[in-house]
Amino acid sequence: MPVNSQDFVIFSQSVTPDGDEIARRVIVSRAYYGAYHACTEWHASLPVAGHDIGFKGGAHQTLVNQLVNPDQSCTRDIELQSKGIGYALRELRDWRHEADYELHLTIDKVRAENAIEKAKLLLQRAAVGGAPPPSPPPAPQPPPLPPAPAAPTLTAQATPRPPLRRLK
């Protein structure tokens, strides 16, 4: 039976973080993969892919690079959304790397719980299964100001001066 990105996060929530450390490592790993798949779908829904600028790596690093470097044609809202998603996914990926490969580290209950919360947040931000939210319509413009009345024209006229008085 096919699964989706939410299924990974739901599964990570079903594992008890109070259990042994391997359970907490599984929570972090599955939460990350749920977020990764949601972010991949969101990025694929963009009209133009982001740019793979930065540290080179595999598909996961490429996605992070593309999210934090969106194309110039994106609206400001989409640019900010993409960067926020990318930075959060990078942090969650680093946690997943520690859980899967750094066996000398201890993955505690707080890290496992934080991974679930971050993954849930990423699923919300990535609007799983749909396109990015549209940008709000532009603010209405105020009506143009009426033209200013014409300034009165001054004509040069010779104004008679009073005669100068001589000092005695």
Side-chain angles (χ1 to χ4, degrees), residues 36 43 46 48-72 82 90 93:
Y36 169 79
H43 183 257
L46 294 175
V48 179
H51 303 285
D52 186 10
I53 300 170
F55 180 76
K56 298 301 176 202
H60 297 254
Q61 182 63 45
T62 298
L63 177 62
V64 168
N65 288 347
Q66 290 175 316
L67 289 168
V68 299
N69 296 291
D71 189 73
Q72 291 177 345
S82 186
R90 179 170 55 196
R93 188 216 44 223

Side-chain angles (χ1 to χ4, degrees), residues 8 13 21 26 38 45 55 62-63 65 84 88 94 108 153 161:
F8 283 90
Q13 290 176 291
E21 186 170 345
V26 167
S45 73
F55 180 76
T62 298
L63 177 62
N65 288 347
D94 291 346
D108 62 12
T153 53
R161 293 185 178 194

Side-chain angles (χ1 to χ4, degrees), residues 21 25 96-107:
E21 186 170 345
R25 289 175 182 271
R96 195 269 311 166
H97 187 272
E98 290 175 356
D100 287 348
Y101 300 109
E102 305 295 331
L103 303 182
H104 63 281
L105 296 177
T106 299
I107 306 301

Side-chain angles (χ1 to χ4, degrees), residues 131-151:
S135 296
Q141 298 296 320
L145 296 173

